[in-house]
Amino acid sequence: MPRTTTVAVVGGGIGGLAAALALLRAGFDVRVYEQSGAVSQVGAGIQLAPNCARILHRLGVLPAIEKSAFAPATFDFRRWDDGRLLSRTPLGAGIAATYGAPYLHAHRSDLVAVLADAVGPDRIGTGRRCRGVNHDGTGAEVRFADGGTVTADVVVGADGIHSVVREALYGPEQPRFTGHVAYRGLVPAERLSRLNLEPRCTVRLGPGAHFVHYFVSAGRLHNVVCVVEEDSWTRESWTDPGDSEELRAAFTGWHPAVGGIIDALDRPLKWALFDRPPLARWSTGPVTLLGDACHPMLPYGAQGAAQAIEDAAVLAACLEGAGRREVPTALHQYESIRRGRATRVQDMSRANGRRFHLPDGPDQQARDAAMASSFGLSPEIDWLYGHDPMVPETAVA
Ligand SMILES: Cc1cc2nc3c(=O)[nH]c(=O)nc-3n(C[C@H](O)[C@H](O)[C@H](O)COP(=O)(O)OP(=O)(O)OC[C@H]3O[C@@H](n4cnc5c(N)ncnc54)[C@H](O)[C@@H]3O)c2cc1C
């Protein structure tokens, strides 16, 4: 009987765990190697759009995610100062009926716990920091900081924007600071009760900044992301404890709900937002990349994790049925299906960054007029939410 193809996934984030699960379901012998002492995520929320909820459903984990998630009624854009509604997209049952999958808000830790549980703790090695990858025509070896190595028929670098696997394949290249930083935090919902916040995802757009907030954890917590512009990021770390006074000052003059939410935030974390230009190749021999390792994007389409989950589904489908010798061809097929779409979503996210931060004036008025004409669930978003990576006709949008 032929030996089962072995896969080493470097990185136990959302992308790595989704890939491990999809590959396990397809019959591969998979191990995940995560540098941290536990698979865990920053305390923050995440939006799960129908294009990734559909895949999570197929992987059998959507019911468990739904249990702790929150299903928002609408997605609203509002003006920064007077809070005027600029556009409203119905979510809830309507979007689930249109796209065959729901739009959810989850706590990242809940999502990762469900994925890790489905993969199985015995398949996840923690405290394993990858230092490099070597490969030849027949397999690959992953080297770890603890001096250990593992060999596998396929290696998947799902190790995020600062990917070591990417560097091993294509050399060093610093990600670019985008000039945007995000303050993030979670607030217990009861602290916000006097604001009477509705069960919606709200994005408030203003000059040089935007403010996103929505419920997670079955409504027990409110997730807050406040994006502002800074000229440079000189600190060595990618995250810093945020200064609440600095945050309050950045949103002076905004709608009172914004100040009320900031007042309720315990010390938020401050993240520098980086991106990279699209990569020409994702795979070499039996080694490939997935998620932020190959297509990091600004969070302004709420699609980074969704694209990593789409990668996972396509990767497993391309490898399924490929013999060990056909692995490089299968990986080439995977990236050729995924690259165009991931690049399109990266471009959309970058463009949203500019649109969201327009100063008041003619361009902002034109933007708001365009938004006002797109109240409702517009077919213009079909390419994003309606995409099913397992259906060839829609695979390359
Ligand atoms: C403010 C903000 C809001 C966002 N909101 C959304 C949203 O609403 N919806 C959405 O879809 N996306 C969103 N994103 C994007 C999303 O978080 C990322 O795209 C997604 O987490 C990428 O997953 P990943 O597994 O590829 O990488 P990561 O989440 O970065 O995971 C990489 C993993 O690899 C591990 N690792 C790194 N180096 C090594 C190594 N050398 N050896 C072993 N392990 C290693 C890390 O510890 C980590 O666990 C947002 C991002 C930000 C910054």
Side-chain angles (χ1 to χ4, degrees):
M1 208 174 86
R3 183 171 65 80
T4 309
T5 304
T6 55
V7 185
V9 177
V10 178
I14 295 167
L17 291 171
L21 186 56
L23 289 160
L24 272 175
R25 299 278 196 253
F28 293 91
D29 179 6
V30 187
R31 294 277 181 286
V32 178
Y33 300 95
E34 164 58 41
Q35 66 179 358
S36 310
V39 284
S40 64
Q41 285 269 316
V42 62
I46 188 153
Q47 306 190 48
L48 300 173
N51 54 310
C52 75
R54 181 180 300 120
I55 297 166
L56 294 168
H57 169 69
R58 285 193 192 132
L59 292 174
V61 289
L62 192 61
I65 293 166
E66 281 179 308
K67 259 188 208 156
S68 59
F70 185 83
T74 63
F75 190 109
D76 293 357
F77 282 106
R78 289 186 176 275
R79 205 178 132 70
W80 66 284
D81 50 0
D82 57 9
R84 181 162 48 86
L85 188 62
L86 301 175
S87 86
R88 169 163 288 171
T89 305
L91 301 176
I95 199 167
T98 304
Y99 295 118
Y103 195 109
L104 297 173
H105 290 159
H107 192 304
R108 282 170 185 260
S109 304
D110 294 338
L111 172 63
V112 160
V114 168
L115 290 172
D117 194 47
V119 170
D122 50 328
R123 293 190 172 274
I124 302 172
T126 53
R128 307 298 312 269
R129 180 192 293 269
C130 170
R131 270 282 161 79
V133 179
N134 310 322
H135 62 89
D136 58 24
T138 58
E141 180 186 71
V142 184
R143 286 177 282 108
F144 295 98
D146 59 14
T149 58
V150 295
T151 55
D153 300 316
V154 184
V155 171
V156 180
D159 49 343
I161 188 166
H162 310 297
S163 171
V164 168
V165 179
R166 174 186 177 128
E167 185 167 330
L169 294 184
Y170 303 117
E173 182 216 38
Q174 282 306 310
R176 190 180 62 92
F177 176 57
T178 58
H180 290 193
V181 299
Y183 292 81
R184 305 164 86 179
L186 289 166
V187 186
E190 66 267 16
R191 277 199 215 160
L192 299 170
S193 52
R194 68 178 181 81
L195 296 177
N196 292 321
L197 296 174
E198 295 180 317
R200 309 180 191 282
C201 179
T202 305
V203 182
R204 298 170 189 272
L205 306 181
H210 71 279
F211 191 95
V212 185
H213 58 107
Y214 54 81
F215 288 98
V216 296
S217 300
R220 288 189 303 280
L221 294 170
H222 206 68
N223 181 65
V224 186
V225 184
C226 329
V227 179
V228 299
E229 295 179 6
E230 281 192 11
D231 291 340
S232 61
W233 184 267
T234 49
R235 273 82 78 200
E236 241 178 65
S237 67
W238 309 99
T239 62
D240 263 1
D243 184 302
S244 300
E245 283 312 314
E246 212 175 272
L247 177 59
R248 218 168 268 123
F251 287 90
T252 305
W254 283 54
H255 187 268
V258 170
I261 296 170
I262 292 174
D263 285 345
L265 258 181
D266 288 329
R267 254 192 134 189
L269 261 187
K270 191 175 176 185
W271 288 65
L273 297 177
F274 288 80
D275 76 355
R276 293 179 188 268
L279 254 189
R281 292 293 313 269
W282 294 2
S283 317
T284 299
V287 186
T288 194
L289 301 170
L290 178 144
D292 279 9
C294 48
H295 50 68
M297 57 187 72
L298 283 165
Y300 310 147
Q303 278 286 322
Q307 291 307 305
I309 292 168
E310 286 188 8
D311 290 347
V314 175
L315 176 65
C318 290
L319 281 171
E320 199 172 5
R324 243 171 259 121
R325 288 224 193 104
E326 288 129 32
V327 163
T329 310
L331 296 183
H332 185 66
Q333 190 195 3
Y334 151 67
E335 67 168 76
S336 61
I337 292 173
R338 291 293 305 147
R339 259 203 347 257
R341 173 158 169 93
T343 302
R344 184 174 178 187
V345 181
Q346 277 178 305
D347 291 346
M348 173 202 75
S349 305
R350 205 170 290 123
N352 277 347
R354 290 187 289 274
R355 280 176 70 233
F356 287 3
H357 288 195
L358 290 173
D360 282 351
D363 289 347
Q364 160 267 327
Q365 286 158 14
R367 176 201 68 196
D368 293 357
M371 282 187 164
S373 69
S374 69
F375 259 73
L377 192 54
S378 160
E380 278 173 29
I381 205 70
D382 283 358
W383 72 271
L384 188 60
Y385 296 160
H387 177 84
D388 185 340
M390 306 323 291
V391 178
E393 299 81 67
T394 62
V396 181

